[in-house]
Amino acid sequence: MASELRVVVEQGDRLLTPRDRRGARPARCRAVPPAPTLAATRLSEEEPEQPQIGDLDLLFYDGRIDADAEHRKLLDDPYLLVARVGAFPEGPVPLEWLDGTPMVAWPLICDQPFMEQAVACSGARPQIVFRSAVNDTLLSMVRAGLGSALLPWLAILGAGVPSDDRLRIHELRPTLPPREIYLHWQAGRIHSPLAAHAVDIALEVAAELAPPPTTA
């Protein structure tokens, strides 16, 4: 597979495993002229208010886009609470405990407004004290004690939080609606062999992602 396709990433990391970025930006995938012995797909990230397929081969986005496009759902990405050790008791955290709690968060783009609305509908009103689109920045604020964070599992996993002994990951009770990751392409378009192979890779990577940890 590696000999047939190389994914070239601009302004980001490996597909579906972001590290220092928020992991929710729409990834725009376009086939580029192949080298003599190696095909390539160019992947870039943007944050448009209204993502559009345009002439792109593929578009990854957290949610369905309002466009004449076909789609394939890749995975549900559950939201979890990341907090400093000792900030909450071990195990799941009731959403009501977040009422008035200092929190750091992503900007109100992509799925973030829907997630925050779901928290509000539960009756909790966290105090958002800082926003950033960069995961490492948010997690640094959590470690420093500025507040906790509600993040999707892909962002948590990509940032290495499960191996950070300064942080704890908590499930939520009740759970929030997950972030949904979709792959889009132009309606009626027949994929080139390269684009079809990229779709297969995306589905394979999504299926092999480690699930979030469970807490008693």
Short mmCIF file of all heavy atoms in Angstrom, two decimals, residues 62-127:
data_model
loop_
_atom_site.label_atom_id
_atom_site.label_comp_id
_atom_site.label_asym_id
_atom_site.label_seq_id
_atom_site.Cartn_x
_atom_site.Cartn_y
_atom_site.Cartn_z
N ASP A 62 -16.39 17.24 10.12
CA ASP A 62 -17.14 16.72 11.27
C ASP A 62 -18.59 17.19 11.17
O ASP A 62 -19.00 18.17 11.76
CB ASP A 62 -16.50 17.14 12.61
CG ASP A 62 -16.30 18.62 12.75
OD1 ASP A 62 -16.25 19.31 11.73
OD2 ASP A 62 -16.21 19.09 13.90
N GLY A 63 -19.37 16.42 10.41
CA GLY A 63 -20.77 16.71 10.16
C GLY A 63 -21.05 16.69 8.68
O GLY A 63 -20.15 16.65 7.85
N ARG A 64 -22.33 16.70 8.34
CA ARG A 64 -22.75 16.75 6.95
C ARG A 64 -22.64 18.18 6.43
O ARG A 64 -22.91 19.15 7.15
CB ARG A 64 -24.20 16.27 6.83
CG ARG A 64 -24.44 14.84 7.30
CD ARG A 64 -24.23 13.87 6.16
NE ARG A 64 -25.18 14.14 5.10
CZ ARG A 64 -26.45 13.71 5.07
NH1 ARG A 64 -26.92 12.99 6.07
NH2 ARG A 64 -27.24 13.99 4.05
N ILE A 65 -22.24 18.35 5.19
CA ILE A 65 -22.15 19.68 4.61
C ILE A 65 -23.40 19.96 3.77
O ILE A 65 -24.03 19.04 3.26
CB ILE A 65 -20.88 19.85 3.76
CG1 ILE A 65 -20.94 18.95 2.51
CG2 ILE A 65 -19.64 19.54 4.58
CD1 ILE A 65 -19.82 19.21 1.53
N ASP A 66 -23.75 21.23 3.67
CA ASP A 66 -24.91 21.65 2.87
C ASP A 66 -24.46 21.89 1.44
O ASP A 66 -24.17 23.01 1.02
CB ASP A 66 -25.53 22.92 3.45
CG ASP A 66 -26.12 22.68 4.83
OD1 ASP A 66 -26.60 21.57 5.07
OD2 ASP A 66 -26.09 23.61 5.65
N ALA A 67 -24.37 20.84 0.68
CA ALA A 67 -23.90 20.95 -0.70
C ALA A 67 -24.38 19.73 -1.47
O ALA A 67 -24.86 18.75 -0.89
CB ALA A 67 -22.38 21.06 -0.75
N ASP A 68 -24.28 19.82 -2.79
CA ASP A 68 -24.66 18.69 -3.64
C ASP A 68 -23.53 17.67 -3.60
O ASP A 68 -22.67 17.63 -4.48
CB ASP A 68 -24.90 19.17 -5.07
CG ASP A 68 -25.40 18.05 -5.98
OD1 ASP A 68 -25.88 17.04 -5.45
OD2 ASP A 68 -25.30 18.20 -7.21
N ALA A 69 -23.52 16.88 -2.53
CA ALA A 69 -22.41 15.95 -2.31
C ALA A 69 -22.93 14.64 -1.76
O ALA A 69 -23.91 14.59 -1.03
CB ALA A 69 -21.40 16.56 -1.34
N GLU A 70 -22.24 13.59 -2.11
CA GLU A 70 -22.46 12.29 -1.49
C GLU A 70 -21.53 12.18 -0.29
O GLU A 70 -20.56 12.93 -0.16
CB GLU A 70 -22.20 11.18 -2.50
CG GLU A 70 -23.13 11.21 -3.70
CD GLU A 70 -22.87 10.07 -4.67
OE1 GLU A 70 -22.58 8.95 -4.19
OE2 GLU A 70 -22.94 10.31 -5.88
N HIS A 71 -21.83 11.26 0.60
CA HIS A 71 -21.03 11.18 1.82
C HIS A 71 -20.95 9.74 2.33
O HIS A 71 -21.75 8.89 1.96
CB HIS A 71 -21.63 12.07 2.92
CG HIS A 71 -22.97 11.59 3.39
ND1 HIS A 71 -24.15 11.97 2.77
CD2 HIS A 71 -23.32 10.76 4.41
CE1 HIS A 71 -25.16 11.39 3.39
NE2 HIS A 71 -24.68 10.66 4.38
N ARG A 72 -19.98 9.54 3.19
CA ARG A 72 -19.81 8.27 3.89
C ARG A 72 -19.40 8.58 5.32
O ARG A 72 -18.42 9.29 5.54
CB ARG A 72 -18.75 7.40 3.21
CG ARG A 72 -18.47 6.06 3.88
CD ARG A 72 -19.59 5.06 3.65
NE ARG A 72 -19.30 3.77 4.24
CZ ARG A 72 -18.67 2.77 3.60
NH1 ARG A 72 -18.27 2.94 2.34
NH2 ARG A 72 -18.47 1.62 4.19
N LYS A 73 -20.17 8.11 6.28
CA LYS A 73 -19.80 8.34 7.67
C LYS A 73 -18.65 7.42 8.05
O LYS A 73 -18.70 6.22 7.85
CB LYS A 73 -21.00 8.09 8.59
CG LYS A 73 -20.73 8.42 10.05
CD LYS A 73 -21.99 8.25 10.88
CE LYS A 73 -21.74 8.52 12.34
NZ LYS A 73 -22.97 8.40 13.16
N LEU A 74 -17.59 8.04 8.61
CA LEU A 74 -16.42 7.27 8.99
C LEU A 74 -16.50 6.75 10.42
O LEU A 74 -16.18 5.60 10.69
CB LEU A 74 -15.16 8.11 8.82
CG LEU A 74 -14.81 8.52 7.39
CD1 LEU A 74 -13.57 9.42 7.39
CD2 LEU A 74 -14.59 7.30 6.51
N LEU A 75 -16.93 7.60 11.35
CA LEU A 75 -16.97 7.17 12.74
C LEU A 75 -17.68 8.18 13.61
O LEU A 75 -17.85 9.34 13.23
CB LEU A 75 -15.56 6.94 13.29
CG LEU A 75 -14.71 8.18 13.61
CD1 LEU A 75 -13.62 7.82 14.61
CD2 LEU A 75 -14.10 8.75 12.36
N ASP A 76 -18.09 7.72 14.79
CA ASP A 76 -18.56 8.58 15.87
C ASP A 76 -17.38 8.83 16.80
O ASP A 76 -16.66 7.90 17.19
CB ASP A 76 -19.69 7.91 16.67
CG ASP A 76 -21.00 7.91 15.91
OD1 ASP A 76 -21.23 8.84 15.12
OD2 ASP A 76 -21.80 6.97 16.10
N ASP A 77 -17.16 10.08 17.15
CA ASP A 77 -16.02 10.49 17.97
C ASP A 77 -16.55 11.04 19.30
O ASP A 77 -16.96 12.19 19.38
CB ASP A 77 -15.23 11.56 17.20
CG ASP A 77 -13.87 11.84 17.80
OD1 ASP A 77 -13.45 11.09 18.69
OD2 ASP A 77 -13.23 12.83 17.37
N PRO A 78 -16.57 10.23 20.36
CA PRO A 78 -17.23 10.65 21.61
C PRO A 78 -16.47 11.74 22.34
O PRO A 78 -15.23 11.80 22.32
CB PRO A 78 -17.24 9.35 22.44
CG PRO A 78 -16.10 8.55 21.90
CD PRO A 78 -16.03 8.86 20.45
N TYR A 79 -17.22 12.61 23.00
CA TYR A 79 -16.64 13.65 23.83
C TYR A 79 -16.37 13.12 25.23
O TYR A 79 -17.19 12.40 25.81
CB TYR A 79 -17.59 14.85 23.93
CG TYR A 79 -17.60 15.72 22.71
CD1 TYR A 79 -18.58 15.57 21.73
CD2 TYR A 79 -16.62 16.69 22.51
CE1 TYR A 79 -18.59 16.37 20.59
CE2 TYR A 79 -16.62 17.50 21.39
CZ TYR A 79 -17.60 17.33 20.43
OH TYR A 79 -17.60 18.12 19.30
N LEU A 80 -15.21 13.49 25.76
CA LEU A 80 -14.79 13.09 27.10
C LEU A 80 -14.27 14.31 27.85
O LEU A 80 -13.91 15.32 27.23
CB LEU A 80 -13.70 12.01 27.02
CG LEU A 80 -14.08 10.72 26.26
CD1 LEU A 80 -12.84 9.91 25.97
CD2 LEU A 80 -15.09 9.91 27.06
N LEU A 81 -14.20 14.19 29.14
CA LEU A 81 -13.69 15.27 29.98
C LEU A 81 -12.22 15.02 30.29
O LEU A 81 -11.86 13.93 30.74
CB LEU A 81 -14.50 15.35 31.28
CG LEU A 81 -14.03 16.38 32.33
CD1 LEU A 81 -14.25 17.80 31.82
CD2 LEU A 81 -14.76 16.16 33.65
N VAL A 82 -11.39 16.02 30.04
CA VAL A 82 -9.98 15.96 30.40
C VAL A 82 -9.74 16.95 31.54
O VAL A 82 -10.06 18.15 31.40
CB VAL A 82 -9.06 16.29 29.21
CG1 VAL A 82 -7.60 16.20 29.63
CG2 VAL A 82 -9.34 15.34 28.05
N ALA A 83 -9.20 16.46 32.64
CA ALA A 83 -9.00 17.30 33.81
C ALA A 83 -7.67 16.97 34.47
O ALA A 83 -7.06 15.92 34.21
CB ALA A 83 -10.14 17.10 34.81
N ARG A 84 -7.20 17.87 35.32
CA ARG A 84 -6.01 17.58 36.11
C ARG A 84 -6.30 16.45 37.09
O ARG A 84 -7.43 16.26 37.54
CB ARG A 84 -5.56 18.82 36.88
CG ARG A 84 -4.85 19.84 36.05
CD ARG A 84 -3.87 20.65 36.89
NE ARG A 84 -4.46 21.28 38.07
CZ ARG A 84 -3.76 21.97 38.96
NH1 ARG A 84 -2.45 22.09 38.81
NH2 ARG A 84 -4.36 22.51 39.99
N VAL A 85 -5.26 15.72 37.43
CA VAL A 85 -5.39 14.67 38.43
C VAL A 85 -5.93 15.29 39.73
O VAL A 85 -5.43 16.30 40.20
CB VAL A 85 -4.03 14.00 38.70
CG1 VAL A 85 -4.13 13.06 39.89
CG2 VAL A 85 -3.57 13.24 37.46
N GLY A 86 -6.99 14.68 40.26
CA GLY A 86 -7.58 15.14 41.51
C GLY A 86 -8.66 16.19 41.36
O GLY A 86 -9.32 16.53 42.35
N ALA A 87 -8.86 16.71 40.14
CA ALA A 87 -9.90 17.72 39.95
C ALA A 87 -11.29 17.13 40.13
O ALA A 87 -12.20 17.84 40.60
CB ALA A 87 -9.76 18.36 38.56
N PHE A 88 -11.46 15.88 39.76
CA PHE A 88 -12.73 15.17 39.93
C PHE A 88 -12.43 13.78 40.49
O PHE A 88 -11.34 13.25 40.29
CB PHE A 88 -13.46 15.02 38.59
CG PHE A 88 -13.90 16.32 37.97
CD1 PHE A 88 -13.08 16.98 37.05
CD2 PHE A 88 -15.12 16.89 38.30
CE1 PHE A 88 -13.47 18.18 36.48
CE2 PHE A 88 -15.52 18.09 37.73
CZ PHE A 88 -14.70 18.74 36.82
N PRO A 89 -13.39 13.17 41.18
CA PRO A 89 -13.19 11.79 41.62
C PRO A 89 -12.98 10.87 40.43
O PRO A 89 -13.43 11.15 39.32
CB PRO A 89 -14.50 11.48 42.36
CG PRO A 89 -15.09 12.81 42.70
CD PRO A 89 -14.68 13.74 41.61
N GLU A 90 -12.30 9.76 40.66
CA GLU A 90 -12.10 8.78 39.60
C GLU A 90 -13.45 8.27 39.10
O GLU A 90 -14.41 8.18 39.86
CB GLU A 90 -11.26 7.60 40.11
CG GLU A 90 -9.84 7.97 40.50
CD GLU A 90 -8.99 8.37 39.31
OE1 GLU A 90 -9.28 7.90 38.18
OE2 GLU A 90 -8.06 9.16 39.49
N GLY A 91 -13.51 7.96 37.82
CA GLY A 91 -14.73 7.42 37.24
C GLY A 91 -15.49 8.46 36.45
O GLY A 91 -15.04 9.60 36.25
N PRO A 92 -16.70 8.10 36.00
CA PRO A 92 -17.52 9.01 35.19
C PRO A 92 -17.89 10.27 35.99
O PRO A 92 -18.03 10.23 37.21
CB PRO A 92 -18.76 8.18 34.85
CG PRO A 92 -18.32 6.76 35.01
CD PRO A 92 -17.31 6.76 36.11
N VAL A 93 -18.06 11.37 35.26
CA VAL A 93 -18.42 12.65 35.87
C VAL A 93 -19.81 13.06 35.40
O VAL A 93 -20.05 13.15 34.19
CB VAL A 93 -17.39 13.74 35.50
CG1 VAL A 93 -17.87 15.12 35.93
CG2 VAL A 93 -16.03 13.43 36.12
N PRO A 94 -20.75 13.29 36.33
CA PRO A 94 -22.07 13.79 35.91
C PRO A 94 -21.93 15.18 35.27
O PRO A 94 -21.16 16.02 35.76
CB PRO A 94 -22.85 13.86 37.22
CG PRO A 94 -22.13 12.95 38.16
CD PRO A 94 -20.69 13.04 37.78
N LEU A 95 -22.68 15.41 34.21
CA LEU A 95 -22.63 16.72 33.55
C LEU A 95 -22.98 17.85 34.50
O LEU A 95 -22.44 18.97 34.38
CB LEU A 95 -23.57 16.73 32.35
CG LEU A 95 -23.05 16.07 31.07
CD1 LEU A 95 -24.16 16.03 30.02
CD2 LEU A 95 -21.84 16.82 30.52
N GLU A 96 -23.84 17.59 35.46
CA GLU A 96 -24.25 18.65 36.39
C GLU A 96 -23.08 19.18 37.20
O GLU A 96 -23.10 20.33 37.67
CB GLU A 96 -25.34 18.14 37.31
CG GLU A 96 -24.92 16.99 38.20
CD GLU A 96 -26.08 16.37 38.96
OE1 GLU A 96 -27.17 16.21 38.36
OE2 GLU A 96 -25.89 16.04 40.15
N TRP A 97 -22.03 18.37 37.37
CA TRP A 97 -20.85 18.84 38.11
C TRP A 97 -20.09 19.92 37.35
O TRP A 97 -19.27 20.62 37.94
CB TRP A 97 -19.91 17.66 38.39
CG TRP A 97 -20.41 16.70 39.41
CD1 TRP A 97 -21.63 16.72 40.04
CD2 TRP A 97 -19.72 15.58 39.93
NE1 TRP A 97 -21.74 15.67 40.91
CE2 TRP A 97 -20.57 14.94 40.86
CE3 TRP A 97 -18.46 15.02 39.70
CZ2 TRP A 97 -20.21 13.80 41.55
CZ3 TRP A 97 -18.08 13.88 40.38
CH2 TRP A 97 -18.95 13.27 41.30
N LEU A 98 -20.35 20.04 36.06
CA LEU A 98 -19.64 21.04 35.26
C LEU A 98 -20.27 22.43 35.37
O LEU A 98 -19.72 23.40 34.85
CB LEU A 98 -19.60 20.61 33.79
CG LEU A 98 -18.96 19.26 33.50
CD1 LEU A 98 -18.91 19.02 32.00
CD2 LEU A 98 -17.57 19.17 34.11
N ASP A 99 -21.42 22.53 36.02
CA ASP A 99 -22.09 23.82 36.14
C ASP A 99 -21.22 24.79 36.93
O ASP A 99 -20.86 24.53 38.09
CB ASP A 99 -23.44 23.64 36.84
CG ASP A 99 -24.29 24.90 36.81
OD1 ASP A 99 -24.31 25.56 35.75
OD2 ASP A 99 -24.91 25.23 37.83
N GLY A 100 -20.85 25.91 36.30
CA GLY A 100 -20.01 26.91 36.95
C GLY A 100 -18.53 26.56 37.00
O GLY A 100 -17.73 27.35 37.50
N THR A 101 -18.16 25.39 36.47
CA THR A 101 -16.76 24.95 36.51
C THR A 101 -15.94 25.68 35.45
O THR A 101 -16.37 25.78 34.30
CB THR A 101 -16.68 23.43 36.26
OG1 THR A 101 -17.41 22.75 37.29
CG2 THR A 101 -15.23 22.96 36.27
N PRO A 102 -14.76 26.17 35.77
CA PRO A 102 -13.90 26.79 34.75
C PRO A 102 -13.51 25.75 33.68
O PRO A 102 -13.10 24.64 34.01
CB PRO A 102 -12.68 27.26 35.54
CG PRO A 102 -13.14 27.35 36.95
CD PRO A 102 -14.16 26.27 37.12
N MET A 103 -13.65 26.13 32.42
CA MET A 103 -13.35 25.24 31.32
C MET A 103 -12.56 25.99 30.25
O MET A 103 -12.74 27.19 30.05
CB MET A 103 -14.64 24.69 30.68
CG MET A 103 -15.58 23.96 31.63
SD MET A 103 -15.05 22.29 32.03
CE MET A 103 -15.28 21.46 30.46
N VAL A 104 -11.69 25.26 29.55
CA VAL A 104 -11.05 25.78 28.34
C VAL A 104 -11.67 25.02 27.17
O VAL A 104 -12.08 23.87 27.31
CB VAL A 104 -9.52 25.60 28.39
CG1 VAL A 104 -8.94 26.42 29.54
CG2 VAL A 104 -9.12 24.13 28.53
N ALA A 105 -11.74 25.67 26.01
CA ALA A 105 -12.53 25.08 24.92
C ALA A 105 -12.04 25.55 23.57
O ALA A 105 -11.29 26.53 23.46
CB ALA A 105 -14.01 25.45 25.09
N TRP A 106 -12.49 24.83 22.54
CA TRP A 106 -12.24 25.24 21.16
C TRP A 106 -13.09 26.47 20.82
O TRP A 106 -14.09 26.75 21.49
CB TRP A 106 -12.63 24.12 20.21
CG TRP A 106 -11.67 22.97 20.18
CD1 TRP A 106 -10.35 22.97 20.53
CD2 TRP A 106 -11.96 21.64 19.74
NE1 TRP A 106 -9.80 21.74 20.33
CE2 TRP A 106 -10.75 20.89 19.85
CE3 TRP A 106 -13.10 21.00 19.27
CZ2 TRP A 106 -10.68 19.55 19.50
CZ3 TRP A 106 -13.02 19.66 18.91
CH2 TRP A 106 -11.83 18.94 19.03
N PRO A 107 -12.76 27.19 19.77
CA PRO A 107 -13.63 28.27 19.29
C PRO A 107 -14.97 27.69 18.83
O PRO A 107 -15.11 26.48 18.62
CB PRO A 107 -12.85 28.86 18.11
CG PRO A 107 -11.44 28.44 18.32
CD PRO A 107 -11.51 27.10 19.00
N LEU A 108 -15.95 28.55 18.66
CA LEU A 108 -17.30 28.11 18.28
C LEU A 108 -17.37 27.88 16.77
O LEU A 108 -18.02 28.63 16.02
CB LEU A 108 -18.32 29.15 18.73
CG LEU A 108 -18.45 29.28 20.25
CD1 LEU A 108 -19.37 30.43 20.62
CD2 LEU A 108 -18.96 27.96 20.87
N ILE A 109 -16.68 26.84 16.31
CA ILE A 109 -16.67 26.45 14.91
C ILE A 109 -16.96 24.96 14.82
O ILE A 109 -16.89 24.24 15.81
CB ILE A 109 -15.32 26.78 14.24
CG1 ILE A 109 -14.18 26.14 15.03
CG2 ILE A 109 -15.12 28.28 14.12
CD1 ILE A 109 -12.81 26.33 14.41
N CYS A 110 -17.30 24.51 13.60
CA CYS A 110 -17.54 23.09 13.34
C CYS A 110 -18.56 22.54 14.34
O CYS A 110 -19.63 23.10 14.49
CB CYS A 110 -16.23 22.31 13.37
SG CYS A 110 -15.03 22.87 12.13
N ASP A 111 -18.24 21.47 15.05
CA ASP A 111 -19.21 20.81 15.93
C ASP A 111 -19.28 21.45 17.32
O ASP A 111 -20.18 21.12 18.10
CB ASP A 111 -18.85 19.33 16.05
CG ASP A 111 -19.94 18.49 16.67
OD1 ASP A 111 -21.06 18.46 16.11
OD2 ASP A 111 -19.71 17.87 17.73
N GLN A 112 -18.36 22.36 17.64
CA GLN A 112 -18.29 22.90 18.99
C GLN A 112 -19.59 23.55 19.46
O GLN A 112 -20.02 23.31 20.60
CB GLN A 112 -17.13 23.90 19.09
CG GLN A 112 -16.86 24.41 20.49
CD GLN A 112 -16.27 23.36 21.41
OE1 GLN A 112 -15.81 22.32 20.96
NE2 GLN A 112 -16.26 23.63 22.70
N PRO A 113 -20.27 24.38 18.64
CA PRO A 113 -21.52 24.98 19.13
C PRO A 113 -22.58 23.94 19.51
O PRO A 113 -23.31 24.11 20.49
CB PRO A 113 -21.99 25.85 17.96
CG PRO A 113 -20.75 26.13 17.17
CD PRO A 113 -19.92 24.89 17.31
N PHE A 114 -22.66 22.85 18.75
CA PHE A 114 -23.65 21.81 19.03
C PHE A 114 -23.33 21.09 20.33
O PHE A 114 -24.21 20.75 21.11
CB PHE A 114 -23.72 20.82 17.86
CG PHE A 114 -24.06 21.47 16.55
CD1 PHE A 114 -23.09 21.67 15.59
CD2 PHE A 114 -25.35 21.89 16.27
CE1 PHE A 114 -23.38 22.28 14.38
CE2 PHE A 114 -25.66 22.49 15.07
CZ PHE A 114 -24.68 22.69 14.11
N MET A 115 -22.04 20.84 20.56
CA MET A 115 -21.64 20.19 21.79
C MET A 115 -21.96 21.07 23.00
O MET A 115 -22.51 20.60 24.00
CB MET A 115 -20.14 19.85 21.75
CG MET A 115 -19.65 19.08 22.98
SD MET A 115 -19.19 20.14 24.36
CE MET A 115 -17.60 20.75 23.77
N GLU A 116 -21.62 22.37 22.90
CA GLU A 116 -21.89 23.26 24.02
C GLU A 116 -23.38 23.43 24.26
O GLU A 116 -23.83 23.58 25.41
CB GLU A 116 -21.20 24.60 23.79
CG GLU A 116 -19.68 24.50 23.80
CD GLU A 116 -18.97 25.84 23.85
OE1 GLU A 116 -19.65 26.86 24.09
OE2 GLU A 116 -17.74 25.87 23.66
N GLN A 117 -24.17 23.39 23.19
CA GLN A 117 -25.62 23.46 23.36
C GLN A 117 -26.14 22.23 24.09
O GLN A 117 -27.04 22.33 24.93
CB GLN A 117 -26.29 23.60 22.00
CG GLN A 117 -27.81 23.74 22.08
CD GLN A 117 -28.45 23.89 20.72
OE1 GLN A 117 -27.85 23.59 19.70
NE2 GLN A 117 -29.68 24.37 20.69
N ALA A 118 -25.57 21.06 23.78
CA ALA A 118 -25.98 19.83 24.46
C ALA A 118 -25.65 19.90 25.95
O ALA A 118 -26.43 19.43 26.79
CB ALA A 118 -25.31 18.62 23.81
N VAL A 119 -24.50 20.47 26.27
CA VAL A 119 -24.14 20.64 27.68
C VAL A 119 -25.14 21.57 28.37
O VAL A 119 -25.62 21.29 29.48
CB VAL A 119 -22.71 21.20 27.82
CG1 VAL A 119 -22.40 21.53 29.28
CG2 VAL A 119 -21.68 20.19 27.29
N ALA A 120 -25.49 22.67 27.71
CA ALA A 120 -26.44 23.63 28.28
C ALA A 120 -27.81 22.99 28.48
O ALA A 120 -28.49 23.26 29.48
CB ALA A 120 -26.54 24.86 27.39
N CYS A 121 -28.21 22.15 27.54
CA CYS A 121 -29.52 21.49 27.64
C CYS A 121 -29.56 20.52 28.82
O CYS A 121 -30.65 20.19 29.31
CB CYS A 121 -29.84 20.75 26.35
SG CYS A 121 -30.25 21.84 24.96
N SER A 122 -28.42 20.08 29.27
CA SER A 122 -28.37 19.19 30.44
C SER A 122 -28.55 19.96 31.73
O SER A 122 -28.69 19.37 32.81
CB SER A 122 -27.04 18.43 30.47
OG SER A 122 -25.98 19.29 30.90
N GLY A 123 -28.49 21.30 31.62
CA GLY A 123 -28.63 22.14 32.81
C GLY A 123 -27.33 22.68 33.34
O GLY A 123 -27.32 23.46 34.29
N ALA A 124 -26.20 22.27 32.74
CA ALA A 124 -24.90 22.73 33.19
C ALA A 124 -24.47 23.97 32.40
O ALA A 124 -24.67 24.05 31.20
CB ALA A 124 -23.86 21.63 33.03
N ARG A 125 -23.88 24.93 33.08
CA ARG A 125 -23.36 26.15 32.46
C ARG A 125 -21.91 26.32 32.88
O ARG A 125 -21.61 27.07 33.81
CB ARG A 125 -24.18 27.37 32.87
CG ARG A 125 -25.63 27.36 32.44
CD ARG A 125 -25.77 27.50 30.93
NE ARG A 125 -27.14 27.78 30.51
CZ ARG A 125 -28.09 26.88 30.36
NH1 ARG A 125 -27.80 25.59 30.62
NH2 ARG A 125 -29.31 27.22 29.98
N PRO A 126 -20.98 25.63 32.22
CA PRO A 126 -19.57 25.83 32.57
C PRO A 126 -19.13 27.26 32.30
O PRO A 126 -19.71 27.96 31.48
CB PRO A 126 -18.84 24.85 31.63
CG PRO A 126 -19.88 23.89 31.16
CD PRO A 126 -21.17 24.66 31.14
N GLN A 127 -18.09 27.69 32.98
CA GLN A 127 -17.52 29.02 32.77
C GLN A 127 -16.33 28.88 31.82
O GLN A 127 -15.26 28.39 32.20
CB GLN A 127 -17.05 29.61 34.10
CG GLN A 127 -16.45 31.00 33.98
CD GLN A 127 -15.87 31.49 35.28
OE1 GLN A 127 -15.92 30.80 36.30
NE2 GLN A 127 -15.31 32.69 35.26
#
